Amino acid sequence: MRYAAIDIGSNAVRLLIADIIGHKEQYNFKKNTLLRVPLRLGDDAFIHQEISPRKAESLIKTMKAFRELMDVYQVEDYMACATSAMRDAKNGADIVAEVRRNGINIDIIEGAKEAEIIYNSHWDNKIEKDKVYLYIDVGGGSTELSLFANGVLVNSRSFNLGTIRILDNQDNPETWDELKEWVRSNTHMYKQVIGIGTGGNINKLARLSDEKVDKPLSYAKLKAVYEHLASFSLKERIILLGLNEDRADVIIPASEIFLTIMKHGRLKQIIVPRVGLVDGVIRTLINRNLVK
């Protein structure tokens, strides 16, 4: 069978079509098709508090295309989640209603729900239950943090601090201070906290560091990659380093957020399983439909 996940983020919109494999309660999935469209809804939502007609039309067209592809691939169930940009946009509900008329139901989810779906990805089954982990997901509009100790969720928080907000100068010192204080107050009692980073930017940073998949990325190595990237201009990061245009700018503020969290939480390393919201959505669909 096949499921699909749609992530309507502040920087890009993603569609993952996955083949479900396994039996009884041992279900997993294999990625079949992954599409990413860099709509940058956050540029509108964070500055003007609404999605412009041009970008709304682009989003509606993208959703129509995704609906057609899901039909062609014979997808049995799907979930479409919209995050920070659509949460902030005054016309978000109107756009959701228009998309629904074209065959896709979108849920505008709160930060806490976003964090829950992210750590619901299959990586949750691989963590060691006697250790302490801080899940860190940095998006275009928000950063989601979830602290686990002994296999139990201790605390979670969503901050309106993301890469597009920073690029558009829509972040503020108070939010940075709240982030630092939350990290310090929730991690200081533990001898060691291991980071788990998700999202497109940390995935790219891990690849640029030449670390193997699932091998921890040290604070020093991440800082070195960041400083290397920051030494180039935006144009040079695109032409000389080969970064996509919509990745070359956001990767710098994303690095700054990850490094800030690691510094104030005294995290020496971060694991990068290279999963994201769409992976968690597929796992959510499996749990909803197949796991009894």
Side-chain angles (χ1 to χ4, degrees):
M1 67 188 74
R2 245 172 226 151
Y3 292 157
I6 297 173
D7 170 14
I8 303 170
S10 304
N11 188 31
V13 178
R14 296 173 180 84
L15 167 68
L16 170 62
I17 296 176
D19 296 326
I20 312 305
I21 54 180
H23 58 89
K24 294 185 178 179
E25 293 190 0
Q26 300 299 316
Y27 289 100
N28 211 326
F29 63 91
K30 180 180 179 182
K31 295 181 181 181
N32 183 308
T33 301
L34 178 63
L35 294 175
R36 179 178 182 275
V37 183
L39 293 184
R40 286 263 165 123
L41 300 178
D43 281 336
D44 288 349
F46 305 142
I47 296 175
H48 305 294
Q49 286 71 57
E50 67 177 12
I51 307 299
S52 67
R54 180 177 65 84
K55 289 200 174 182
E57 182 181 3
S58 294
L59 176 59
I60 292 166
K61 286 181 177 179
T62 300
M63 291 300 103
K64 286 180 180 178
F66 284 2
R67 177 71 268 177
E68 295 290 342
L69 280 171
M70 288 193 295
D71 290 343
V72 170
Y73 276 89
Q74 298 181 330
V75 167
E76 294 185 28
D77 198 6
Y78 77 93
M79 182 185 296
C81 297
T83 57
S84 189
M86 293 287 278
R87 286 199 295 264
D88 282 19
K90 293 182 291 186
N91 59 340
D94 294 334
I95 296 173
V96 166
E98 180 62 29
V99 171
R100 186 181 298 115
R101 285 192 283 271
N102 287 279
I104 290 184
N105 293 315
I106 297 174
D107 292 324
I108 299 179
I109 58 174
E110 295 300 321
K113 182 64 176 178
E114 184 178 354
E116 178 186 337
I117 292 173
I118 289 165
Y119 66 68
N120 194 32
S121 67
H122 69 281
W123 183 255
D124 185 43
N125 298 323
K126 298 183 181 180
I127 66 174
E128 298 178 48
K129 302 301 182 184
D130 59 341
K131 294 185 178 180
V132 180
Y133 295 92
L134 181 62
Y135 274 74
I136 309 165
D137 183 79
V138 176
S142 63
T143 294
E144 324 301 335
L145 300 178
S146 300
L147 184 73
F148 284 81
N150 301 317
V152 178
L153 176 63
V154 176
N155 203 353
S156 65
R157 176 82 182 270
S158 176
F159 295 87
N160 283 336
L161 190 66
T163 58
I164 303 297
R165 283 190 198 272
I166 294 172
L167 289 176
D168 291 340
N169 295 314
Q170 298 302 306
D171 59 318
N172 60 69
E174 291 80 11
T175 307
W176 279 102
D177 290 342
E178 288 174 9
L179 173 75
K180 295 171 186 176
E181 177 56 30
W182 189 95
V183 172
R184 284 193 297 262
S185 63
N186 282 277
T187 60
H188 74 90
M189 70 286 290
Y190 301 108
K191 184 176 181 180
Q192 182 185 36
V193 179
I194 301 170
I196 298 179
T198 59
N201 287 300
I202 194 65
N203 292 347
K204 187 63 177 180
L205 287 163
R207 291 188 181 95
L208 291 171
S209 74
D210 293 326
E211 294 289 7
K212 295 180 181 179
V213 175
D214 296 346
K215 184 178 180 181
L217 181 63
S218 70
Y219 176 86
K221 189 68 174 284
L222 179 58
K223 187 175 181 182
V225 173
Y226 161 68
E227 290 174 347
H228 175 69
L229 290 169
S231 69
F232 292 87
S233 68
L234 174 60
K235 187 175 182 180
E236 288 171 336
R237 289 196 292 272
I238 296 169
I239 297 174
L240 300 180
L241 301 183
L243 295 181
N244 291 337
E245 185 175 347
D246 64 299
R247 179 70 66 199
D249 54 356
V250 295
I251 201 166
I252 297 298
S255 302
E256 293 167 352
I257 295 173
F258 276 107
L259 288 169
T260 297
I261 293 168
M262 292 183 74
K263 177 182 177 180
H264 289 274
R266 298 173 292 114
L267 277 62
K268 295 180 180 179
Q269 60 187 21
I270 184 169
I271 298 168
V272 186
R274 301 184 188 179
V275 298
L277 183 66
V278 287
D279 300 85
V281 168
I282 296 295
R283 176 56 61 185
T284 299
L285 289 170
I286 290 173
N287 291 341
R288 185 172 73 188
N289 294 328
L290 301 174
V291 178
K292 305 301 182 183

